[in-house]
Amino acid sequence: MAIKLPQNIVIVGGVAGGMSAATRARRLCESAKITVLERGPFVSYANCGIPYALGGIIQDDTTLILQNPESFKSRFNIDVHIRSEVTAINRASKNVTVRNLMGDGETVYAYDKLILSQGAEPVRLPIKGSNLPQVFTLQTIDDMKSIRDFIVGHNSRKVAVIGGGFIGLELAENLHHLGLDVTIIEYASHVFPPADTEMAEPVHTELRRHNVKLLLNARVQQIEKGDQQNLINVMTANGHNVPADVIIMAVGVRARTSLAAAAGLMIGKNGIAVNKYMQTSDPDIYAVGDMVETEHRILGRPAVVALAGPANRQGRLAADHIFGKKIAYRGNIGTSVCKVFEMTIASTGLSVQALRELGRTPEWVTVHPPDHAGYYPGSSPITLRVIFDPETGVLLGAQAVGKQGVDKRIDVLSTAIQAGMGICDLEHLELAYAPPYGSAKDPVNMAGFVGSNVLRCDVHIVHPGDLCSPQASWQIVDVRSTSEFSRGHLPGAVNLPLNNLRETVHTLDREKKVLVYCQVGYRGYVAYRVLSQTGFDVVNLDGGFKSVEEGGHKALQVSPNLS
């Protein structure tokens, strides 16, 4: 018996999820009537490019507009209505009520299947002054134009960006390109929240190198008018006062769920609840993109992941299911990357901090290899952290920061996590190698080698963050060269260079535990193997002295004249 295919599909909202669903539906069924109802003026645009258009890196705003109603009609025979706001869903009658924002009329559209793709809305802090005319959020092309017009029209010089996530970091860089004096105010201890604090420290350094001011651990309390003309003040709970003539709130987004809730659809903790086929609690209504909760594969529970990639895939799979293809959405792990001037930071899966907050006790390793062969010109180091289960070795997350090759390594590790691989699998990966692009032992392989050594107990490690103060009962051994040691070392360390360690090992007390370290970890590992096989109780410092320096562990550092 032939399955009766739906002939009337209505999609609320365009952009990534909605238009992926619409075009996939057309490719699967030529006879269906497909209608897209978009509240805004653009149905398909690259909102991820908006900060770069604001900063003039993308010089023509029109390049952000990927398609328009006419092009969708001519190529896909899809009816797109912009400036059309859906105000109600009547599930019993299977129709939606639509208000024309360019007029006063309302129209009712019937549906066989309905797809919601309304996305998320930027959050405004519920504080005094958040609605002053100098305070903006950035999500749409219209938002960008409003900010640009305000800056030009008021000859703005100082900007405060509230929030150090993706949008906040991209804004800081691009507003700096415009010649503005930029301050980032971040509630947490570091920018780029998906990463651990230590991994974000190089980004802090990069921002400051470009004269972007940073206020961390700063909760914004209120915004008030200042004494000087056009200036307003951002007041923080710890007493900081940041004067600015334009403020942009980049403190996150909130799923648009009010329409679905009014229709009686099930709402989860932070977004619309859907099954693995993107169906809501009403089997004739689907929801995709930033407004839904889908399974987070490491958390093991639904979560909102507001990223363009998942939204595109979800839209496609919703259309698949409507037309009889039961292809389940496999969930998210939250893979992301961000450019900050000449630096790139990226992450996938969960951070150490996030895992600990869940009550888990992860293990991780840190390596600092070059992005490509060191003997080929132009190489630069990548700091790569790979997080795994200490019992099974299953990968739980990864973070990387550096100037080049960061995205490539995180993409490999994201794929490995989604494939259910473990830390020991990384040493077996066969990755493309030529001197301009990588090394025979790729950074991902290197992390696999180090992590496998830890898992197999070939080495025991300790992390810089676990060394709150010099361990009086330990012997701290720096196995770097004397010149490296003279430039800075851990408090209380003795310098026994690796090449002479076998001859100097007798100077150590076998009754005391030994902490051994080098610059990035490898020489420390070699020293560990020497000492452990000579009868010492020894641990190696993960990531070496570089992790102490990069991670901002100032209490563990000492200059030569203080040693």
Side-chain angles (χ1 to χ4, degrees), residues 45-338:
Y45 65 96
N47 55 357
C48 295
I50 286 174
Y52 301 98
L54 177 61
I57 303 300
I58 297 172
Q59 297 182 1
D60 183 356
D61 293 351
T62 62
T63 60
L64 298 176
I65 302 170
L66 307 177
Q67 300 281 351
N68 57 41
E70 294 74 26
S71 64
F72 277 115
K73 183 64 176 178
S74 62
R75 176 166 292 187
F76 296 104
N77 191 25
I78 293 172
D79 295 320
V80 175
H81 302 277
I82 59 173
R83 297 294 192 189
S84 298
E85 181 181 18
V86 176
T87 57
I89 301 170
N90 188 324
R91 291 167 56 193
S93 302
K94 296 187 74 171
N95 62 47
V96 296
T97 302
V98 182
R99 181 173 64 203
N100 184 344
L101 297 179
M102 295 181 288
D104 297 325
E106 286 190 340
T107 307
V108 174
Y109 289 85
Y111 66 84
D112 296 320
K113 300 291 182 181
L114 178 67
I115 302 175
L116 302 179
S117 179
Q118 295 174 279
E121 59 186 346
V123 173
R124 277 186 183 262
L125 294 175
I127 58 173
K128 177 184 175 183
S130 65
N131 291 316
L132 288 171
Q134 299 97 324
V135 182
F136 298 86
T137 59
L138 180 65
Q139 186 182 51
T140 67
I141 293 176
D142 283 349
D143 293 338
M144 176 194 68
K145 291 179 177 178
S146 296
I147 294 170
R148 180 191 289 155
D149 290 346
F150 186 92
I151 289 172
V152 173
H154 293 79
N155 194 27
S156 298
R157 289 288 178 264
K158 293 179 179 290
V159 58
V161 176
I162 302 176
F166 302 102
I167 300 300
L169 291 172
E170 291 168 355
L171 273 170
E173 177 180 350
N174 284 282
L175 292 167
H176 178 272
H177 286 318
L178 295 178
L180 295 171
D181 182 350
V182 182
T183 301
I184 295 176
I185 306 170
E186 170 54 45
Y187 178 80
S189 62
H190 63 282
V191 300
F192 197 75
D196 290 306
T197 303
E198 301 93 336
M199 295 297 291
E201 279 294 333
V203 177
H204 297 165
T205 300
E206 181 73 358
L207 288 164
R208 292 174 178 129
R209 189 171 73 87
H210 287 84
N211 297 317
V212 173
K213 302 178 185 69
L214 274 179
L215 274 182
L216 303 173
N217 297 301
R219 180 171 62 86
V220 176
Q221 201 166 41
Q222 66 181 40
I223 301 169
E224 60 181 27
K225 293 183 179 180
D227 297 333
Q228 300 179 41
Q229 185 178 10
N230 297 329
L231 283 182
I232 52 178
N233 294 323
V234 183
M235 315 293 292
T236 68
N238 53 2
H240 285 101
N241 177 9
V242 181
D245 42 26
V246 61
I247 296 171
I248 306 177
M249 287 193 180
V251 295
V253 295
R254 182 185 297 114
R256 289 189 169 100
T257 60
S258 58
L259 180 67
L265 299 178
M266 184 180 296
I267 308 298
K269 184 177 180 181
N270 295 302
I272 298 174
V274 294
N275 65 14
K276 61 185 178 180
Y277 301 115
M278 309 312 300
Q279 286 175 298
T280 67
S281 53
D282 183 327
D284 290 323
I285 302 178
Y286 296 72
V288 301
D290 297 355
M291 67 188 303
V292 304
E293 288 185 347
T294 51
E295 185 76 4
H296 192 291
R297 296 175 62 171
I298 299 173
L299 284 173
R301 56 176 169 79
V304 174
V305 177
L307 295 169
N312 274 282
R313 296 193 298 278
Q314 292 164 11
R316 176 186 173 92
L317 293 180
D320 280 346
H321 192 257
I322 285 172
F323 289 102
K325 295 178 180 290
K326 294 187 176 181
I327 305 171
Y329 184 66
R330 297 183 180 181
N332 314 297
I333 61 170
T335 304
S336 56
V337 63
C338 186

Side-chain angles (χ1 to χ4, degrees), residues 380-425:
S380 61
I382 294 174
T383 294
L384 178 61
R385 169 175 289 189
V386 179
I387 307 160
F388 56 95
D389 184 281
E391 300 296 328
T392 66
V394 170
L395 296 172
L396 302 173
Q399 300 157 38
V401 61
K403 291 184 177 181
Q404 302 172 138
V406 167
D407 54 337
K408 170 182 175 180
R409 274 69 190 202
I410 287 296
D411 283 345
V412 169
L413 288 161
S414 171
T415 303
I417 292 172
Q418 292 175 76
M421 296 171 72
I423 189 70
C424 295
D425 293 311

